[in-house]
Amino acid sequence: MRILVIGSGGREHALLRGLAADPATTDLHVTPGNAGMAGLATVHADVGKADDPAAMVALARDIDAELVVIGPEIPLVAGVADALRAAGFRVFGPNQDAAQIEGSKQFAKDVMADAGVKTARAEQLAPGASEADIDAALDRFGPTWVVKDDGLAGGKGVVVTPDREAAREHVRAVHELGNPVLLESFLNGPEVSLFCLVDGETVVPLIPAQDHKRAYDNDEGPNTGGMGAYTPLPWLPAEGVQRIVDEVCVPVAKEMVRRGTPYSGLLYAGIAWDADGPWVVEFNARFGDPETQPILALLDTPLAGLLDAVASGTLASHPPLQWKDAYALTVVLAAENYPASPVTGGVISGDVVADPTKVLHAGTARNDAGELVSAGGRVLNIVGVGPTLEAARDDAYATIAEISLDGSFYRKDIALPAVEGRITL
Ligand code: GLY
């Protein structure tokens, strides 16, 4: 199978690695890609933007792709899947109308209300709201405020704060971007990222993971796209995944079909698990980053056939998924000043960065001298695997010690609360 992957992050590097390992894959291409992907795929760096439907259709035609896998949300929300399907390609990823489940938080709230899915209470504040309107809305929430950018923010547009002035500042900042704000009640309880393959009303869960969204250890510092993740979750009740599937993902999949916008692709349910079980924090219309990196490290089922089953509408007859009996985690190596204004262009060293079983690239490039350099905020994803979560942590942290990039940093506590039994329900 000739496969084109659209995207350039650690998630796409993990997808490429999985696809390359499937004997059904004959030819692998990626656009725009990054410096770590050349060993696995033909990299098409300069063929137009990933969210330009015409450019992506032209590339898929050039390659004669049999399957196109769209990684990030921006092309999905821009309608790249629609254009590819209209041109006759099989696509992994939802059409534009279904991708609104991530593109518009208000749309997601409406779907959940109609599907009877538990989620935070929310109010939208449009740009142009007066100071008095903002104050009145803030009065209706707290003592912890959750202020979300109701546009595409790649997980970075959320501020969760007990400081009312900080909440107000984020409302203003989002409005200055021209986007509406969503104010939400705060959901307490540990977070679960459950990824489900969805083909109409057929829902197949992957193993559950947990992300670490704050920049620094002990969940301090600003929100980021994600600083590390682990899977599976030893603290999640045995029936946890099935409850999320039954109470969240299946009702949403059915509601999307009922609305005439059936979902095809990966539905990411961001869940807070409290005394009543699963509550939805957010949905994403794509594989999460960095959770995908450890999840795919444990998947034994051939990935190309699995994604193709979703794309061709045959997921219901796909065999059950096979997983390694192990734990995996990913630690993100971030550039200096991430997430505010990451420093790029720093030279990365360490032979292990060329080994995609241990290191997946995100913001990397080659400079004029051919050296590997940082080119984004999240630079590398270090993957560890082991028979216990502690062993997986040891594996990842041993690898990261072999890498150097001036000014870079990473969290030392990925999965540590779970290892130490500090996550209680
Ligand atoms: N891990 C957060 C995200 O993918 O949005």
Side-chain angles (χ1 to χ4, degrees):
M1 199 180 332
R2 283 180 303 282
I3 305 175
L4 168 63
V5 174
I6 298 176
S8 64
R11 164 186 51 213
E12 286 77 25
H13 200 176
L15 287 165
L16 287 172
R17 194 185 150 224
L19 292 167
D22 185 337
T25 302
T26 53
D27 223 355
L28 208 42
H29 298 260
V30 63
T31 186
N34 65 41
M37 296 174 174
L40 290 173
T42 305
V43 181
H44 303 265
D46 298 312
V47 291
K49 290 177 67 177
D51 61 354
D52 175 350
M56 293 303 103
V57 169
L59 178 60
R61 282 204 176 111
D62 237 30
I63 292 165
D64 197 15
E66 291 164 287
L67 172 67
V68 183
V69 178
I70 303 178
E73 63 277 16
I74 292 175
L76 293 168
V77 171
V80 169
D82 308 54
L84 286 161
R85 287 195 174 99
F89 294 100
R90 284 206 303 276
V91 181
F92 182 86
N95 274 350
Q96 186 172 40
D97 47 14
Q100 286 305 306
I101 197 108
E102 173 165 4
S104 163
K105 302 211 182 322
Q106 189 61 52
F107 174 87
K109 290 284 178 196
D110 292 345
V111 170
M112 283 187 272
D114 290 347
V117 169
K118 290 184 301 194
T119 185
R121 182 172 60 83
E123 279 183 37
Q124 200 187 49
L125 266 174
S130 68
E131 288 299 315
D133 288 343
I134 294 173
D135 259 326
L138 289 174
D139 283 346
R140 292 191 286 275
F141 291 86
T144 299
W145 283 271
V146 180
V147 183
K148 293 186 173 178
D149 182 340
D150 196 12
L152 280 180
K156 296 184 280 289
V158 186
V159 165
V160 180
T161 177
D163 176 347
R164 187 186 167 105
E165 195 42 46
R168 190 203 312 266
E169 267 170 34
H170 193 55
V171 171
R172 287 201 198 100
V174 173
H175 281 170
E176 270 165 29
L177 294 173
N179 292 342
V181 161
L182 210 66
L183 285 178
E184 286 191 353
S185 57
F186 178 61
L187 293 175
N188 218 347
E191 292 200 1
V192 180
S193 301
L194 187 72
F195 300 171
C196 288
L197 298 164
V198 177
D199 168 14
E201 293 193 2
T202 303
V203 174
V204 175
L206 309 188
I207 49 177
Q210 188 178 52
D211 191 6
H212 295 60
K213 295 210 173 74
R214 301 280 185 155
Y216 312 130
D217 284 8
N218 304 315
D219 289 334
E220 288 172 9
N223 255 315
T224 69
M227 292 295 291
Y230 65 97
T231 185
L233 308 178
W235 47 266
L236 190 67
E239 74 285 7
V241 167
Q242 198 56 48
R243 279 196 63 186
I244 299 170
V245 169
D246 293 344
E247 296 176 30
V248 174
C249 301
V250 167
V252 163
K254 287 187 169 165
E255 174 60 20
M256 297 295 276
V257 171
R258 191 193 67 77
R259 286 171 174 241
T261 55
Y263 198 92
S264 172
L266 194 290
L267 180 66
Y268 168 142
I271 299 291
W273 191 281
D274 83 351
D276 298 331
W279 291 72
V280 174
V281 178
E282 63 174 357
F283 286 115
N284 292 316
R286 38 129 186 120
F287 281 96
D289 191 340
E291 298 97 312
T292 300
Q293 290 81 313
I295 289 172
L296 293 186
L298 298 185
L299 180 69
D300 275 340
T301 297
L303 186 62
L306 180 60
L307 301 187
D308 196 48
V310 179
S312 58
T314 59
L315 183 62
S317 55
H318 191 280
L321 304 189
Q322 304 292 326
W323 298 96
K324 287 184 180 54
D325 184 15
Y327 289 86
L329 102 172
T330 285
V331 181
V332 170
L333 182 79
E336 183 176 354
N337 272 340
Y338 176 72
S341 53
V343 174
T344 57
V347 174
I348 302 164
S349 58
D351 291 345
V352 74
V353 301
D355 178 354
T357 66
K358 290 175 176 286
V359 180
L360 297 165
H361 289 225
T364 66
R366 296 263 167 211
N367 65 14
D368 290 343
E371 296 166 310
L372 185 69
V373 295
S374 58
R378 292 189 291 177
V379 181
L380 297 172
N381 301 263
I382 290 74
V383 181
V385 178
T388 63
L389 203 42
E390 205 165 6
R393 264 176 58 82
D394 290 346
D395 189 29
Y397 284 107
T399 299
I400 210 164
E402 297 174 39
I403 301 170
S404 76
L405 167 63
D406 274 356
S408 64
F409 70 98
Y410 59 89
R411 279 183 62 158
K412 318 281 188 302
D413 65 345
I414 303 303
L416 194 56
V419 167
E420 293 179 343
R422 284 190 275 125
I423 302 184
T424 50
L425 299 174

